Amino acid sequence: MNRPLTLTPKELDAFPANYHEARKALKTLSQSCPQLEDIQSYPLSGASNSEHDNLSTETLWLGPSSAENLVVLISATHGVEGFVGAAVQTDLLQRIHRDALLPANTALLMIFALNPFGFAQHRRCDERGIDLNRNFIDFSQPLPANKGYDQLQSAVYEENPIKRQALFEEFQRQQGQTAFEIALSGGQYSDRYGPFYGGHQ
């Protein structure tokens, strides 16, 4: 039987109100964590306006640098998901500090806000409109084609929502639900202003 998850007010404190609050909490916690070996900050490069100011990705290494086992925990690949990811990272830091949870011969690499712009601006993509989850490909090879997206592109830009939905439903009837999902959200590399754009580098 499923039961709803109940959290105490103290546990809910792990969820940040915004990107800057999350980063501050993580840095404050890390300073008192005895297992912290290294912390690095990577400011958002190419900052050109106030939306980019004071944005960075932080990396924390906890545990021995020579550990044979490494756990990598990343938040905010899709920026808007950073609220939950930061809560998990903050809660884990608290537990490691309190209970020394890291097993022997194991280290933790915590990457906070892989997409700081998206986190701060409540957007899925980064400051260039790129979906980072579609960006982990070998760009020395030909870019993946998404013929389904090519067919749906005009529907994506249809301003009338009723017509847009009708075009989507027609594609689903002809191609099937799976093909529709791949076409729309599987990632595409041809339309920089379209959804799930993977970039060119």
Side-chain angles (χ1 to χ4, degrees):
M1 182 170 98
N2 293 331
R3 292 185 301 171
L5 177 66
T6 56
L7 297 172
T8 66
K10 179 70 174 172
E11 289 170 320
L12 286 171
D13 285 345
F15 290 89
N18 54 57
Y19 159 81
H20 295 288
E21 182 183 291
R23 184 176 66 173
K24 181 180 178 182
L26 195 81
K27 285 188 170 184
T28 300
L29 276 170
S30 66
Q31 290 170 359
S32 62
C33 187
Q35 291 176 287
L36 180 72
E37 288 290 319
D38 184 57
I39 182 168
Q40 299 288 333
S41 183
Y42 301 89
L44 184 63
S45 62
S48 59
N49 58 52
S50 60
E51 288 183 338
H52 299 170
D53 289 347
N54 301 314
L55 300 180
S56 61
T57 296
E58 320 296 327
T59 63
L60 290 74
W61 184 286
L62 294 92
S65 58
S66 59
E68 292 183 6
N69 306 304
L70 177 65
V71 176
V72 180
L73 184 60
I74 304 171
S75 67
T77 301
H78 291 147
V80 73
E81 296 168 1
F83 291 92
V84 174
V88 170
Q89 290 175 326
T90 299
D91 182 70
L92 182 58
L93 267 181
Q94 291 173 328
R95 292 170 188 268
I96 289 173
H97 178 58
R98 185 182 66 231
D99 304 322
L101 282 178
L102 284 178
N105 206 22
T106 299
L108 171 66
L109 172 61
M110 195 174 285
I111 303 174
F112 167 79
L114 184 62
N115 177 4
F117 174 84
F119 192 168
Q121 296 296 320
H122 304 174
R123 296 185 61 190
R124 178 187 179 92
C125 60
D126 73 359
E127 68 280 5
R128 298 163 296 169
I130 294 173
D131 183 332
L132 295 185
N133 205 41
R134 307 303 192 272
N135 190 246
F136 291 97
I137 64 170
D138 183 356
F139 283 98
S140 69
Q141 301 298 315
L143 294 174
N146 186 338
K147 294 180 180 178
Y149 180 80
D150 294 341
Q151 294 173 338
L152 275 179
Q153 187 174 4
S154 60
V156 168
Y157 289 102
E158 172 57 58
E159 293 184 11
N160 184 310
I162 296 173
K163 289 182 179 178
R164 183 171 59 247
Q165 185 60 34
L167 291 168
F168 284 168
E169 289 174 358
E170 180 62 23
F171 184 95
Q172 288 172 289
R173 280 193 295 272
Q174 292 179 1
Q175 307 287 339
Q177 178 65 25
T178 299
F180 173 73
E181 291 176 9
I182 292 172
L184 195 60
S185 63
Q188 52 85 17
Y189 300 84
S190 58
D191 179 10
R192 63 177 297 191
Y193 299 109
F196 305 100
Y197 174 61
H200 282 140
Q201 62 181 4

